[in-house]
Amino acid sequence: MLRIESYGHTESGDNKTALKWVYENPVWKVGIKNWKPANDISGTTCLERHNKTDELFILLDGHCTLLYADDDNGKAVNIGKVEMEPMKVYKIPATLWHNTVTQPDAKLVLIENNPTDMTNSDVYNLTDDQIAEIKALV
């Protein structure tokens, strides 16, 4: 007999895991992302991009800023931001540099193709000037 299954991520406080994949199948995966110090503006030191797949974010609660940047031969340029609104779906297109800046009350859902990992993604380490620019922006 078939049954409905549920998956969640309820850890809180200092012990919470920033991202927990709660469901995966061969095609896609779903994660729940909480705040942790590395996701705070003071911990934001890089952007990432997924070269073959789009990614979806949904803010369930709290505050989150999506950072994005254009690509210039492997470098992130023209950094911008989107202040997320709860219960809206935000699509990060493949190859767009991005990162999330969360506050302690944030809880996000993240959906991406499986596999999306470091074999098909890149990380760009921000320069000191770019970190200062992001801090002023957020």
Side-chain angles (χ1 to χ4, degrees):
M1 179 182 291
L2 295 175
R3 298 276 188 238
I4 294 174
E5 299 175 20
S6 67
Y7 307 90
H9 179 29
T10 58
E11 296 173 10
S12 61
D14 293 337
N15 296 324
K16 62 180 151 181
T17 303
L19 175 62
K20 181 175 182 181
W21 294 108
V22 296
Y23 180 80
E24 291 188 50
N25 69 30
V27 180
W28 49 273
K29 57 187 177 179
V30 177
I32 297 177
K33 186 173 183 176
N34 291 315
W35 174 88
K36 74 173 189 177
N39 299 131
D40 198 274
I41 187 61
S42 61
T44 302
T45 60
C46 66
L47 300 175
E48 65 178 28
R49 67 177 175 189
H50 309 300
N51 296 308
K52 296 183 179 182
T53 62
D54 297 341
E55 182 174 25
L56 301 175
F57 287 100
I58 304 163
L59 179 64
L60 299 178
D61 197 17
H63 297 87
C64 180
T65 303
L66 285 172
L67 297 174
Y68 64 90
D70 296 326
D71 181 69
D72 182 14
N73 294 314
K75 295 180 183 177
V77 297
N78 304 321
I79 297 171
K81 71 170 184 172
V82 173
E83 296 295 335
M84 293 182 72
E85 296 178 43
M87 305 304 167
K88 286 191 175 181
V89 177
Y90 295 85
K91 180 184 118 185
I92 309 296
T95 74
L96 181 68
W97 291 112
H98 66 281
N99 202 344
T100 55
V101 178
T102 58
Q103 293 183 16
D105 59 356
K107 187 170 278 289
L108 303 151
V109 171
L110 150 61
I111 303 165
E112 58 188 27
N113 286 2
N114 197 9
T116 298
D117 56 27
M118 293 316 297
T119 64
N120 52 28
S121 301
D122 297 312
V123 173
Y124 175 78
N125 291 314
L126 296 162
T127 66
D128 290 341
D129 288 343
Q130 287 173 317
I131 291 170
E133 178 184 350
I134 286 171
K135 287 181 179 179
L137 190 65
V138 173

